[in-house]
Amino acid sequence: MNVGELFRRACVSGFVCSIFYHGLMLLMGTKVQLRSAVVFTVVFVLLYFVWLLVVSYKGRR
């Protein structure tokens, strides 16, 4: 996979996980701030993207 596809996969996974996580928090009655949701999503996407890069690089070796 190329870098663009890995980044797209990280973005989709980040948005889906963020929706599930913050949706469950709302269902449990916890207040969710928009800023914290955005920060969570961005950090998750970046960390997952780095992890995908490392794993794909090890697979090519």
CSV table of all heavy atoms in Angstrom, one decimal:
chain,number,residue,atom,x,y,z
A,1,MET,N,0.8,-1.2,0.0
A,1,MET,CA,0.0,0.0,0.0
A,1,MET,C,0.9,1.2,0.0
A,1,MET,O,1.9,1.3,0.6
A,1,MET,CB,-0.9,0.0,1.2
A,1,MET,CG,-2.1,-0.9,1.2
A,1,MET,SD,-3.2,-0.6,2.6
A,1,MET,CE,-2.9,-2.1,3.4
A,2,ASN,N,0.4,2.3,-0.7
A,2,ASN,CA,1.2,3.5,-0.7
A,2,ASN,C,0.8,4.4,0.5
A,2,ASN,O,-0.2,4.0,1.3
A,2,ASN,CB,1.0,4.2,-2.0
A,2,ASN,CG,-0.5,4.6,-2.3
A,2,ASN,OD1,-1.3,4.5,-1.4
A,2,ASN,ND2,-0.7,5.1,-3.5
A,3,VAL,N,1.5,5.5,0.7
A,3,VAL,CA,1.3,6.3,1.9
A,3,VAL,C,-0.1,6.9,1.9
A,3,VAL,O,-0.7,7.1,2.9
A,3,VAL,CB,2.4,7.4,1.9
A,3,VAL,CG1,2.2,8.3,3.1
A,3,VAL,CG2,3.7,6.7,2.0
A,4,GLY,N,-0.6,7.3,0.7
A,4,GLY,CA,-1.9,8.0,0.6
A,4,GLY,C,-3.0,7.0,1.1
A,4,GLY,O,-4.0,7.4,1.8
A,5,GLU,N,-2.9,5.8,0.7
A,5,GLU,CA,-3.9,4.8,1.1
A,5,GLU,C,-3.8,4.5,2.6
A,5,GLU,O,-4.9,4.3,3.2
A,5,GLU,CB,-3.7,3.5,0.3
A,5,GLU,CG,-4.9,2.5,0.5
A,5,GLU,CD,-4.7,1.3,-0.5
A,5,GLU,OE1,-4.0,1.4,-1.5
A,5,GLU,OE2,-5.3,0.3,-0.1
A,6,LEU,N,-2.7,4.4,3.1
A,6,LEU,CA,-2.5,4.2,4.5
A,6,LEU,C,-3.1,5.4,5.3
A,6,LEU,O,-3.7,5.2,6.4
A,6,LEU,CB,-1.0,4.1,4.9
A,6,LEU,CG,-0.3,2.8,4.4
A,6,LEU,CD1,1.1,2.8,4.8
A,6,LEU,CD2,-1.0,1.6,5.0
A,7,PHE,N,-2.9,6.6,4.8
A,7,PHE,CA,-3.4,7.8,5.5
A,7,PHE,C,-4.9,7.8,5.4
A,7,PHE,O,-5.6,8.1,6.4
A,7,PHE,CB,-2.9,9.1,4.9
A,7,PHE,CG,-3.3,10.3,5.7
A,7,PHE,CD1,-2.8,10.6,7.0
A,7,PHE,CD2,-4.2,11.2,5.2
A,7,PHE,CE1,-3.2,11.7,7.7
A,7,PHE,CE2,-4.6,12.3,5.9
A,7,PHE,CZ,-4.1,12.5,7.1
A,8,ARG,N,-5.5,7.4,4.3
A,8,ARG,CA,-6.9,7.4,4.2
A,8,ARG,C,-7.5,6.3,5.1
A,8,ARG,O,-8.5,6.6,5.8
A,8,ARG,CB,-7.3,7.0,2.7
A,8,ARG,CG,-8.8,7.0,2.5
A,8,ARG,CD,-9.2,6.5,1.1
A,8,ARG,NE,-8.9,5.1,1.0
A,8,ARG,CZ,-9.6,4.1,1.5
A,8,ARG,NH1,-10.6,4.3,2.2
A,8,ARG,NH2,-9.2,2.8,1.3
A,9,ARG,N,-6.9,5.2,5.2
A,9,ARG,CA,-7.3,4.1,6.2
A,9,ARG,C,-7.3,4.6,7.6
A,9,ARG,O,-8.2,4.4,8.4
A,9,ARG,CB,-6.5,2.9,6.0
A,9,ARG,CG,-6.9,1.8,6.9
A,9,ARG,CD,-6.0,0.5,6.7
A,9,ARG,NE,-6.5,-0.1,5.4
A,9,ARG,CZ,-6.1,-1.3,5.0
A,9,ARG,NH1,-5.1,-1.9,5.7
A,9,ARG,NH2,-6.5,-1.8,3.9
A,10,ALA,N,-6.2,5.4,7.9
A,10,ALA,CA,-6.1,5.9,9.3
A,10,ALA,C,-7.2,6.9,9.6
A,10,ALA,O,-7.7,6.9,10.7
A,10,ALA,CB,-4.7,6.5,9.5
A,11,CYS,N,-7.5,7.8,8.6
A,11,CYS,CA,-8.5,8.8,8.8
A,11,CYS,C,-9.9,8.1,9.0
A,11,CYS,O,-10.6,8.5,9.9
A,11,CYS,CB,-8.6,9.7,7.6
A,11,CYS,SG,-7.2,10.9,7.6
A,12,VAL,N,-10.2,7.1,8.2
A,12,VAL,CA,-11.5,6.5,8.3
A,12,VAL,C,-11.6,5.8,9.7
A,12,VAL,O,-12.6,5.9,10.4
A,12,VAL,CB,-11.7,5.5,7.1
A,12,VAL,CG1,-12.9,4.6,7.4
A,12,VAL,CG2,-11.9,6.3,5.8
A,13,SER,N,-10.6,5.1,10.0
A,13,SER,CA,-10.6,4.4,11.3
A,13,SER,C,-10.7,5.3,12.5
A,13,SER,O,-11.4,5.1,13.5
A,13,SER,CB,-9.3,3.5,11.5
A,13,SER,OG,-9.3,2.5,10.5
A,14,GLY,N,-10.0,6.5,12.4
A,14,GLY,CA,-10.0,7.5,13.4
A,14,GLY,C,-11.4,8.1,13.6
A,14,GLY,O,-11.8,8.2,14.7
A,15,PHE,N,-12.0,8.4,12.5
A,15,PHE,CA,-13.4,9.0,12.6
A,15,PHE,C,-14.4,8.0,13.2
A,15,PHE,O,-15.2,8.3,14.0
A,15,PHE,CB,-13.8,9.5,11.2
A,15,PHE,CG,-13.1,10.7,10.8
A,15,PHE,CD1,-12.6,10.8,9.5
A,15,PHE,CD2,-12.9,11.8,11.6
A,15,PHE,CE1,-11.9,11.9,9.1
A,15,PHE,CE2,-12.2,12.9,11.2
A,15,PHE,CZ,-11.7,13.0,9.9
A,16,VAL,N,-14.3,6.7,12.7
A,16,VAL,CA,-15.2,5.7,13.2
A,16,VAL,C,-15.0,5.4,14.7
A,16,VAL,O,-16.0,5.4,15.5
A,16,VAL,CB,-15.1,4.4,12.4
A,16,VAL,CG1,-15.8,3.3,13.0
A,16,VAL,CG2,-15.6,4.6,10.9
A,17,CYS,N,-13.8,5.3,15.1
A,17,CYS,CA,-13.5,5.1,16.5
A,17,CYS,C,-13.9,6.2,17.4
A,17,CYS,O,-14.4,6.1,18.5
A,17,CYS,CB,-12.0,4.7,16.7
A,17,CYS,SG,-11.5,3.1,16.1
A,18,SER,N,-13.7,7.4,16.9
A,18,SER,CA,-14.1,8.6,17.6
A,18,SER,C,-15.6,8.7,17.8
A,18,SER,O,-16.1,9.1,18.8
A,18,SER,CB,-13.6,9.9,16.9
A,18,SER,OG,-13.9,11.0,17.6
A,19,ILE,N,-16.3,8.4,16.7
A,19,ILE,CA,-17.8,8.4,16.8
A,19,ILE,C,-18.3,7.4,17.8
A,19,ILE,O,-19.2,7.7,18.6
A,19,ILE,CB,-18.4,8.2,15.4
A,19,ILE,CG1,-18.2,9.4,14.5
A,19,ILE,CG2,-19.9,7.9,15.5
A,19,ILE,CD1,-18.5,9.2,13.1
A,20,PHE,N,-17.7,6.2,17.8
A,20,PHE,CA,-18.1,5.2,18.7
A,20,PHE,C,-17.8,5.6,20.2
A,20,PHE,O,-18.6,5.5,21.1
A,20,PHE,CB,-17.5,3.8,18.4
A,20,PHE,CG,-18.1,3.1,17.3
A,20,PHE,CD1,-17.4,2.4,16.4
A,20,PHE,CD2,-19.5,3.0,17.2
A,20,PHE,CE1,-17.9,1.7,15.4
A,20,PHE,CE2,-20.1,2.3,16.1
A,20,PHE,CZ,-19.3,1.7,15.2
A,21,TYR,N,-16.6,6.0,20.4
A,21,TYR,CA,-16.1,6.4,21.7
A,21,TYR,C,-16.9,7.5,22.3
A,21,TYR,O,-17.5,7.4,23.4
A,21,TYR,CB,-14.6,6.8,21.7
A,21,TYR,CG,-14.1,7.2,23.0
A,21,TYR,CD1,-13.9,6.4,24.0
A,21,TYR,CD2,-13.7,8.6,23.2
A,21,TYR,CE1,-13.4,6.8,25.3
A,21,TYR,CE2,-13.2,9.0,24.4
A,21,TYR,CZ,-13.1,8.1,25.4
A,21,TYR,OH,-12.6,8.6,26.6
A,22,HIS,N,-17.1,8.6,21.5
A,22,HIS,CA,-17.8,9.8,22.1
A,22,HIS,C,-19.3,9.5,22.1
A,22,HIS,O,-20.0,10.1,22.9
A,22,HIS,CB,-17.4,11.0,21.3
A,22,HIS,CG,-16.0,11.5,21.5
A,22,HIS,ND1,-15.0,11.1,20.7
A,22,HIS,CD2,-15.5,12.2,22.5
A,22,HIS,CE1,-13.9,11.6,21.2
A,22,HIS,NE2,-14.1,12.3,22.3
A,23,GLY,N,-19.8,8.7,21.2
A,23,GLY,CA,-21.2,8.3,21.2
A,23,GLY,C,-21.5,7.5,22.5
A,23,GLY,O,-22.6,7.8,23.1
A,24,LEU,N,-20.7,6.6,22.9
A,24,LEU,CA,-20.9,5.9,24.1
A,24,LEU,C,-20.8,6.8,25.3
A,24,LEU,O,-21.5,6.6,26.3
A,24,LEU,CB,-19.9,4.7,24.2
A,24,LEU,CG,-20.1,3.5,23.2
A,24,LEU,CD1,-19.0,2.5,23.3
A,24,LEU,CD2,-21.4,2.9,23.6
A,25,MET,N,-19.8,7.7,25.3
A,25,MET,CA,-19.7,8.7,26.4
A,25,MET,C,-21.0,9.5,26.5
A,25,MET,O,-21.5,9.7,27.7
A,25,MET,CB,-18.5,9.6,26.2
A,25,MET,CG,-17.2,8.9,26.5
A,25,MET,SD,-15.8,10.0,26.3
A,25,MET,CE,-16.1,11.2,27.6
A,26,LEU,N,-21.6,9.9,25.4
A,26,LEU,CA,-22.9,10.6,25.5
A,26,LEU,C,-24.0,9.7,26.0
A,26,LEU,O,-24.9,10.2,26.7
A,26,LEU,CB,-23.2,11.2,24.1
A,26,LEU,CG,-22.4,12.4,23.6
A,26,LEU,CD1,-22.7,12.7,22.2
A,26,LEU,CD2,-22.6,13.6,24.5
A,27,LEU,N,-24.0,8.5,25.6
A,27,LEU,CA,-25.1,7.6,26.1
A,27,LEU,C,-25.0,7.3,27.6
A,27,LEU,O,-26.0,7.1,28.2
A,27,LEU,CB,-25.0,6.2,25.3
A,27,LEU,CG,-25.5,6.2,23.9
A,27,LEU,CD1,-25.2,4.9,23.3
A,27,LEU,CD2,-27.0,6.6,23.8
A,28,MET,N,-23.7,7.4,28.1
A,28,MET,CA,-23.6,7.2,29.5
A,28,MET,C,-23.8,8.5,30.3
A,28,MET,O,-23.8,8.5,31.5
A,28,MET,CB,-22.1,6.7,29.8
A,28,MET,CG,-21.9,5.3,29.3
A,28,MET,SD,-20.3,4.6,29.8
A,28,MET,CE,-19.1,5.8,29.5
A,29,GLY,N,-24.1,9.6,29.6
A,29,GLY,CA,-24.4,10.8,30.3
A,29,GLY,C,-23.2,11.7,30.6
A,29,GLY,O,-23.3,12.7,31.3
A,30,THR,N,-22.1,11.4,30.0
A,30,THR,CA,-20.9,12.3,30.2
A,30,THR,C,-20.9,13.4,29.1
A,30,THR,O,-21.2,13.1,28.0
A,30,THR,CB,-19.6,11.4,30.0
A,30,THR,OG1,-19.6,10.3,30.9
A,30,THR,CG2,-18.4,12.3,30.3
A,31,LYS,N,-20.6,14.6,29.6
A,31,LYS,CA,-20.5,15.7,28.6
A,31,LYS,C,-19.3,15.6,27.8
A,31,LYS,O,-18.2,15.2,28.2
A,31,LYS,CB,-20.5,17.0,29.4
A,31,LYS,CG,-21.8,17.4,30.0
A,31,LYS,CD,-21.7,18.7,30.7
A,31,LYS,CE,-23.1,19.1,31.3
A,31,LYS,NZ,-23.1,20.4,31.9
A,32,VAL,N,-19.4,15.9,26.5
A,32,VAL,CA,-18.3,15.8,25.5
A,32,VAL,C,-18.1,17.2,24.9
A,32,VAL,O,-19.1,17.7,24.4
A,32,VAL,CB,-18.6,14.7,24.4
A,32,VAL,CG1,-17.5,14.8,23.4
A,32,VAL,CG2,-18.8,13.4,25.0
A,33,GLN,N,-16.9,17.7,25.0
A,33,GLN,CA,-16.7,19.0,24.4
A,33,GLN,C,-16.1,18.7,23.0
A,33,GLN,O,-15.4,17.8,22.7
A,33,GLN,CB,-15.6,19.7,25.2
A,33,GLN,CG,-16.1,20.1,26.6
A,33,GLN,CD,-15.0,20.9,27.3
A,33,GLN,OE1,-13.9,21.0,26.9
A,33,GLN,NE2,-15.4,21.4,28.5
A,34,LEU,N,-16.5,19.6,22.1
A,34,LEU,CA,-16.1,19.5,20.7
A,34,LEU,C,-14.6,19.5,20.6
A,34,LEU,O,-14.0,18.8,19.8
A,34,LEU,CB,-16.7,20.6,19.9
A,34,LEU,CG,-16.4,20.6,18.4
A,34,LEU,CD1,-16.9,19.3,17.7
A,34,LEU,CD2,-17.0,21.8,17.7
A,35,ARG,N,-13.9,20.4,21.3
A,35,ARG,CA,-12.5,20.5,21.3
A,35,ARG,C,-11.8,19.2,21.7
A,35,ARG,O,-10.8,18.7,21.0
A,35,ARG,CB,-12.0,21.6,22.2
A,35,ARG,CG,-10.5,21.8,22.1
A,35,ARG,CD,-10.0,23.0,22.9
A,35,ARG,NE,-8.6,23.0,23.0
A,35,ARG,CZ,-7.9,24.1,23.2
A,35,ARG,NH1,-8.6,25.2,23.4
A,35,ARG,NH2,-6.6,24.1,23.2
A,36,SER,N,-12.3,18.5,22.7
A,36,SER,CA,-11.7,17.3,23.1
A,36,SER,C,-11.9,16.2,22.1
A,36,SER,O,-11.1,15.3,21.9
A,36,SER,CB,-12.2,16.8,24.5
A,36,SER,OG,-13.6,16.6,24.5
A,37,ALA,N,-13.1,16.2,21.5
A,37,ALA,CA,-13.4,15.2,20.4
A,37,ALA,C,-12.5,15.4,19.2
A,37,ALA,O,-12.0,14.4,18.7
A,37,ALA,CB,-14.8,15.3,20.0
A,38,VAL,N,-12.2,16.6,18.8
A,38,VAL,CA,-11.3,16.9,17.7
A,38,VAL,C,-9.9,16.5,18.0
A,38,VAL,O,-9.2,15.8,17.2
A,38,VAL,CB,-11.4,18.4,17.3
A,38,VAL,CG1,-10.3,18.7,16.3
A,38,VAL,CG2,-12.8,18.7,16.7
A,39,VAL,N,-9.4,16.8,19.2
A,39,VAL,CA,-8.1,16.5,19.6
A,39,VAL,C,-7.9,14.9,19.7
A,39,VAL,O,-6.9,14.4,19.2
A,39,VAL,CB,-7.7,17.1,21.0
A,39,VAL,CG1,-6.4,16.5,21.6
A,39,VAL,CG2,-7.6,18.6,20.9
A,40,PHE,N,-8.9,14.3,20.2
A,40,PHE,CA,-8.8,12.8,20.3
A,40,PHE,C,-8.7,12.2,18.9
A,40,PHE,O,-7.9,11.3,18.6
A,40,PHE,CB,-10.1,12.3,21.0
A,40,PHE,CG,-10.2,10.8,21.0
A,40,PHE,CD1,-9.6,10.0,22.0
A,40,PHE,CD2,-10.9,10.1,20.0
A,40,PHE,CE1,-9.7,8.6,22.0
A,40,PHE,CE2,-11.0,8.7,20.0
A,40,PHE,CZ,-10.4,8.0,21.0
A,41,THR,N,-9.5,12.7,18.0
A,41,THR,CA,-9.6,12.2,16.6
A,41,THR,C,-8.2,12.4,15.9
A,41,THR,O,-7.7,11.5,15.3
A,41,THR,CB,-10.7,12.8,15.8
A,41,THR,OG1,-11.9,12.6,16.5
A,41,THR,CG2,-10.8,12.2,14.4
A,42,VAL,N,-7.7,13.6,16.0
A,42,VAL,CA,-6.4,14.0,15.4
A,42,VAL,C,-5.3,13.1,15.9
A,42,VAL,O,-4.5,12.6,15.1
A,42,VAL,CB,-6.2,15.5,15.5
A,42,VAL,CG1,-4.7,15.8,15.0
A,42,VAL,CG2,-7.2,16.3,14.7
A,43,VAL,N,-5.2,13.0,17.2
A,43,VAL,CA,-4.1,12.2,17.8
A,43,VAL,C,-4.3,10.8,17.4
A,43,VAL,O,-3.3,10.1,17.1
A,43,VAL,CB,-4.1,12.4,19.3
A,43,VAL,CG1,-3.2,11.4,20.0
A,43,VAL,CG2,-3.7,13.8,19.7
A,44,PHE,N,-5.5,10.2,17.4
A,44,PHE,CA,-5.7,8.8,17.1
A,44,PHE,C,-5.3,8.6,15.6
A,44,PHE,O,-4.6,7.6,15.3
A,44,PHE,CB,-7.2,8.5,17.3
A,44,PHE,CG,-7.5,7.0,17.0
A,44,PHE,CD1,-7.4,6.1,18.1
A,44,PHE,CD2,-7.8,6.5,15.7
A,44,PHE,CE1,-7.7,4.8,17.9
A,44,PHE,CE2,-8.0,5.2,15.5
A,44,PHE,CZ,-8.0,4.3,16.6
A,45,VAL,N,-5.7,9.5,14.7
A,45,VAL,CA,-5.4,9.4,13.3
A,45,VAL,C,-3.8,9.4,13.1
A,45,VAL,O,-3.3,8.6,12.4
A,45,VAL,CB,-6.0,10.4,12.5
A,45,VAL,CG1,-5.5,10.5,11.1
A,45,VAL,CG2,-7.5,10.2,12.4
A,46,LEU,N,-3.2,10.3,13.7
A,46,LEU,CA,-1.7,10.4,13.6
A,46,LEU,C,-1.0,9.2,14.1
A,46,LEU,O,-0.1,8.7,13.5
A,46,LEU,CB,-1.2,11.7,14.2
A,46,LEU,CG,-1.6,13.0,13.5
A,46,LEU,CD1,-1.1,14.2,14.3
A,46,LEU,CD2,-1.1,13.1,12.1
A,47,LEU,N,-1.4,8.8,15.3
A,47,LEU,CA,-0.7,7.6,15.9
A,47,LEU,C,-1.0,6.3,15.1
A,47,LEU,O,-0.1,5.5,14.9
A,47,LEU,CB,-1.1,7.4,17.4
A,47,LEU,CG,-0.6,8.5,18.3
A,47,LEU,CD1,-1.2,8.2,19.7
A,47,LEU,CD2,0.9,8.4,18.4
A,48,TYR,N,-2.2,6.2,14.6
A,48,TYR,CA,-2.5,5.0,13.9
A,48,TYR,C,-1.8,5.0,12.5
A,48,TYR,O,-1.4,4.0,12.0
A,48,TYR,CB,-4.1,4.9,13.7
A,48,TYR,CG,-4.5,3.6,13.1
A,48,TYR,CD1,-4.2,2.4,13.7
A,48,TYR,CD2,-5.3,3.6,12.0
A,48,TYR,CE1,-4.6,1.2,13.1
A,48,TYR,CE2,-5.8,2.4,11.4
A,48,TYR,CZ,-5.4,1.2,12.0
A,48,TYR,OH,-5.8,0.0,11.5
A,49,PHE,N,-1.7,6.2,11.9
A,49,PHE,CA,-1.0,6.3,10.6
A,49,PHE,C,0.5,6.0,10.8
A,49,PHE,O,1.0,5.2,10.0
A,49,PHE,CB,-1.1,7.8,10.1
A,49,PHE,CG,-0.3,8.0,8.9
A,49,PHE,CD1,-0.6,7.4,7.7
A,49,PHE,CD2,0.7,9.0,8.9
A,49,PHE,CE1,0.1,7.6,6.5
A,49,PHE,CE2,1.4,9.2,7.7
A,49,PHE,CZ,1.1,8.6,6.5
A,50,VAL,N,1.1,6.4,11.9
A,50,VAL,CA,2.5,6.1,12.1
A,50,VAL,C,2.6,4.6,12.3
A,50,VAL,O,3.5,3.9,11.8
A,50,VAL,CB,3.1,6.9,13.3
A,50,VAL,CG1,4.4,6.3,13.8
A,50,VAL,CG2,3.2,8.3,13.0
A,51,TRP,N,1.7,4.0,13.1
A,51,TRP,CA,1.7,2.6,13.3
A,51,TRP,C,1.6,1.8,12.0
A,51,TRP,O,2.3,0.8,11.7
A,51,TRP,CB,0.6,2.2,14.3
A,51,TRP,CG,0.7,0.7,14.6
A,51,TRP,CD1,1.5,0.1,15.5
A,51,TRP,CD2,-0.2,-0.3,14.1
A,51,TRP,NE1,1.2,-1.3,15.5
A,51,TRP,CE2,0.2,-1.5,14.7
A,51,TRP,CE3,-1.2,-0.3,13.2
A,51,TRP,CZ2,-0.5,-2.7,14.4
A,51,TRP,CZ3,-1.9,-1.5,12.9
A,51,TRP,CH2,-1.5,-2.7,13.5
A,52,LEU,N,0.7,2.2,11.1
A,52,LEU,CA,0.5,1.6,9.8
A,52,LEU,C,1.8,1.7,9.0
A,52,LEU,O,2.1,0.8,8.3
A,52,LEU,CB,-0.7,2.2,9.1
A,52,LEU,CG,-2.1,1.8,9.6
A,52,LEU,CD1,-3.1,2.6,8.8
A,52,LEU,CD2,-2.3,0.3,9.4
A,53,LEU,N,2.4,2.8,9.0
A,53,LEU,CA,3.7,3.0,8.3
A,53,LEU,C,4.7,2.0,8.8
A,53,LEU,O,5.4,1.4,8.0
A,53,LEU,CB,4.2,4.4,8.4
A,53,LEU,CG,3.5,5.5,7.5
A,53,LEU,CD1,4.1,6.9,7.9
A,53,LEU,CD2,3.6,5.2,6.1
A,54,VAL,N,4.9,1.9,10.1
A,54,VAL,CA,5.9,1.0,10.7
A,54,VAL,C,5.6,-0.4,10.3
A,54,VAL,O,6.5,-1.1,9.9
A,54,VAL,CB,6.0,1.2,12.2
A,54,VAL,CG1,6.8,0.1,12.8
A,54,VAL,CG2,6.5,2.6,12.5
A,55,VAL,N,4.4,-0.8,10.4
A,55,VAL,CA,4.0,-2.2,10.1
A,55,VAL,C,4.2,-2.5,8.6
A,55,VAL,O,4.7,-3.6,8.3
A,55,VAL,CB,2.5,-2.5,10.6
A,55,VAL,CG1,2.1,-3.8,10.1
A,55,VAL,CG2,2.5,-2.4,12.1
A,56,SER,N,3.8,-1.6,7.8
A,56,SER,CA,4.0,-1.8,6.3
A,56,SER,C,5.4,-1.8,5.9
A,56,SER,O,5.8,-2.6,5.0
A,56,SER,CB,3.2,-0.8,5.5
A,56,SER,OG,3.8,0.5,5.6
A,57,TYR,N,6.2,-1.0,6.6
A,57,TYR,CA,7.7,-1.0,6.3
A,57,TYR,C,8.3,-2.3,6.7
A,57,TYR,O,9.1,-2.9,6.0
A,57,TYR,CB,8.4,0.2,7.0
A,57,TYR,CG,9.9,0.2,6.8
A,57,TYR,CD1,10.4,0.5,5.6
A,57,TYR,CD2,10.7,-0.1,7.8
A,57,TYR,CE1,11.7,0.5,5.4
A,57,TYR,CE2,12.1,-0.1,7.6
A,57,TYR,CZ,12.6,0.2,6.4
A,57,TYR,OH,13.9,0.2,6.2
A,58,LYS,N,7.9,-2.8,7.9
A,58,LYS,CA,8.5,-4.1,8.4
A,58,LYS,C,8.1,-5.3,7.4
A,58,LYS,O,8.8,-6.2,7.2
A,58,LYS,CB,8.0,-4.4,9.8
A,58,LYS,CG,8.8,-3.6,10.8
A,58,LYS,CD,8.4,-4.1,12.2
A,58,LYS,CE,9.2,-3.3,13.2
A,58,LYS,NZ,8.8,-3.8,14.6
A,59,GLY,N,6.9,-5.2,6.9
A,59,GLY,CA,6.4,-6.2,6.0
A,59,GLY,C,7.1,-6.2,4.7
A,59,GLY,O,7.2,-7.2,4.0
A,60,ARG,N,7.7,-5.1,4.2
A,60,ARG,CA,8.4,-5.0,3.0
A,60,ARG,C,9.9,-5.5,3.1
A,60,ARG,O,10.5,-5.8,2.1
A,60,ARG,CB,8.4,-3.6,2.5
A,60,ARG,CG,7.1,-3.2,1.9
A,60,ARG,CD,7.2,-1.8,1.3
A,60,ARG,NE,6.3,-0.9,2.0
A,60,ARG,CZ,6.3,0.4,2.0
A,60,ARG,NH1,7.3,1.0,1.4
A,60,ARG,NH2,5.4,1.1,2.7
A,61,ARG,N,10.4,-5.5,4.3
A,61,ARG,CA,11.8,-5.9,4.5
A,61,ARG,C,12.0,-7.4,4.4
A,61,ARG,O,11.3,-8.3,4.4
A,61,ARG,CB,12.2,-5.5,5.9
A,61,ARG,CG,12.5,-4.1,6.0
A,61,ARG,CD,13.0,-3.6,7.3
A,61,ARG,NE,14.3,-4.2,7.5
A,61,ARG,CZ,14.9,-4.2,8.7
A,61,ARG,NH1,14.3,-3.6,9.7
A,61,ARG,NH2,16.1,-4.6,8.9
